[in-house]
Amino acid sequence: FFLPCVHGYNNGGLAALPPMGWNTWCTDDLCGLVDRCSDALVSSIADAFVEQGLDKLGYSFVNMDDCWSAKTRDASGNLVANAARFPRGMSGLAKYVHSKGLKIGLYTCSGTLTCKNSLPGSAGHWIQDANTIANWKFDFVKMDYCHADKTIPPKVLYQNMSDALNATGREMVFSLCEWGEGNVSQWGYGLSQMYRIQMDHIPFFNFKGNAAGVGFGQGTWQIIEFVATLNPSTFVRRYGWMDPDFLETLFPTMSFVDSRTEFSFWSLWSAPLIISTDIRNLTQDMRSIIMNEDVIAIDQDGLCTAGERIIFNSTSGAQVWFKPLYNGDAAILLYNSRLKGNDVQVSVQWSDLPTSWPHIDPDQPPASLYPAGAAGSVRDLWGKKDLGLFNTSVSFQIAPRDVMMLRVSWVK
């Protein structure tokens, strides 16, 4: 997978490809309604990564959200862990996670307090907190946007922590969670390896919501529609991944189809694959989604670009999304965006595929696109089967909310 492509922010080399891992948000919790975590929880997840074989597929980050800190700083103004729930402290927990061959991350905030639990934020403590986190040997820092000084542009605000983390000399992923504010797609890749492009995602396929930040809503359906307006291929790059927020895979309010569709789009966009639901004792359904190597390969592809919507029938709801791949293949996602009702025929002619693609790095060769007159050898990535040679087009019946994800190799 590690192939050359245009660089964004690079703090020592982590996140050359979209980060993959887990976050506490929806495990033993109702997606932040309680927002509690513990050494025992995080350690059990690290164990499960290895026991279930997730680490072999690229899942490596074990991250905590707004749940780990004590209510106040210590007498010297340093961040400290909640001693009752983290008896060996952050350094001890990091050492354990590293012993499993994994990496560990935590949450802080660009304001004076954190979002959910009003724990100490990093405003005014940029250098001190960066040094503390580096001394704990952490590998990933997510920074939220609550209680921040909104008179300061978010780019300026987040630059403080970006500079402070770089100055520590430790390799760390910096994850911006500014809810898409301040046109982050135009600068996020210069300060961080991943940056949120919209408001918080919650575990519903269809949920308009009213959260802070930009976007059309908080459900998967709304995120898909919003990303279609962003043209993400014009800004996504190596070390500069857009983040639609956590995957809510098979949370009780997310069906198998909903979860598979969500994972498909995140992968098509080269988005971070950070699962927030429980990955211990994986069910077969969960395993079939998050451990599908063919789909993960689309996310981790070395061309480092994001897929785009190329066909949208507003009457039927049929959509076609396209992503060129490093070896010249194409990923094509057929999607029925209806929330209910009948199956829809979703089709694409090879001749309708893009003939040009954004080329953000002049030192790189452009994406290889459909060679005129070629036939397509088509593989169904979720079905895990080769479908044969299609001379001019593909067309399939797709159920509401569902997708068919194809990898096409061109044959002249």
Side-chain angles (χ1 to χ4, degrees), residues 115-138:
C115 289
K116 178 63 182 178
N117 288 320
S118 296
L119 303 174
S122 289
H125 295 266
W126 315 111
I127 295 172
Q128 185 175 20
D129 289 358
N131 287 332
T132 296
I133 294 165
N135 289 337
W136 287 340
K137 308 298 184 188
F138 269 65

Side-chain angles (χ1 to χ4, degrees), residues 10 46 74 103 109 126 252 254 305 311 370 406 409:
N10 177 359
D74 69 13
K103 296 178 173 60
C109 198
W126 315 111
M254 290 282 286
T305 190
I311 294 174
Y370 168 65
L406 308 174
S409 302

Side-chain angles (χ1 to χ4, degrees), residues 150-213:
K150 300 304 194 292
T151 67
I152 302 173
K155 180 180 179 181
V156 175
L157 197 66
Y158 281 92
Q159 183 80 57
N160 293 309
M161 195 60 161
S162 180
D163 291 345
L165 291 172
N166 273 328
T168 68
R170 180 168 179 79
E171 295 182 1
M172 287 182 272
V173 173
F174 187 31
S175 171
L176 309 187
C177 184
E178 67 331 289
W179 318 323
E181 298 283 3
N183 295 314
V184 67
S185 64
Q186 304 306 306
W187 52 266
Y189 55 79
L191 303 185
S192 68
Q193 295 99 326
M194 52 186 282
Y195 45 91
R196 277 279 294 280
I197 45 85
Q198 76 132 57
M199 65 183 74
D200 285 355
H201 178 29
I202 62 173
F204 293 93
F205 192 80
N206 176 35
F207 192 90
K208 187 169 178 58
N210 192 30

